[in-house]
Amino acid sequence: SSSSFFFSSSSSPLLLLFPVYQRKLADLMAAGFPSPEMHDIMLDVHIYHCFGNNWQSMSLAQHLEAAKTGEGHLPDFDELLASEYEFAVTEWSLKLPTWTPTLRLEWEALSIQER
């Protein structure tokens, strides 16, 4: 499991950092996570543009739009912001996928302002 536990030096209780990447938050909640007795939970979010066929079929413009809006990520940013939980993006990358040679050509054709 990639869940992590952090202890605070203060008198506050244990903080549970739980991975929610590549999953919908609603699906986790429907499966019973977090249980009612869990408190002080922070969600661990990873943001990459490479896992799944949806990312691999996108144009450069679509990748840039997704980076700007957060759309297409699991969990969805709007879902995270609407939840009662704090979250931290602990892994992310600005590197574009390399499986489509046209992405690099599209990137190089953009002006500095467009990038």
Side-chain angles (χ1 to χ4, degrees):
S1 170
S2 51
S3 58
S4 302
F5 298 90
F6 294 91
F7 292 92
S8 172
S9 59
S10 70
S11 61
S12 65
L14 175 71
L15 171 69
L16 171 65
L17 182 62
F18 188 81
V20 293
Y21 42 89
Q22 297 183 356
R23 299 168 182 90
K24 290 184 179 181
L25 183 56
D27 291 345
L28 286 171
M29 294 174 79
F33 178 82
S35 66
E37 60 271 0
M38 291 182 172
H39 302 284
D40 295 323
I41 297 168
M42 179 175 282
L43 305 175
D44 176 10
V45 180
H46 298 187
I47 300 175
Y48 295 97
H49 286 220
C50 59
F51 300 112
N53 291 334
N54 58 322
W55 296 112
Q56 296 174 10
S57 62
M58 292 170 68
S59 70
L60 177 63
Q62 291 169 319
H63 275 284
L64 294 175
E65 184 66 17
K68 183 171 77 176
T69 65
E71 289 184 36
H73 296 284
L74 289 176
D76 183 88
F77 287 177
D78 289 334
E79 184 180 34
L80 288 167
L81 291 169
S83 79
E84 63 186 88
Y85 304 106
E86 294 183 27
F87 64 94
V89 177
T90 61
E91 291 186 26
W92 58 277
S93 176
L94 294 176
K95 182 170 175 49
L96 288 170
T98 57
W99 52 78
T100 307
T102 58
L103 285 179
R104 182 176 179 172
L105 297 173
E106 289 177 68
W107 177 258
E108 290 172 351
L110 293 176
S111 69
I112 297 298
Q113 290 79 17
E114 292 172 310
R115 294 180 189 177

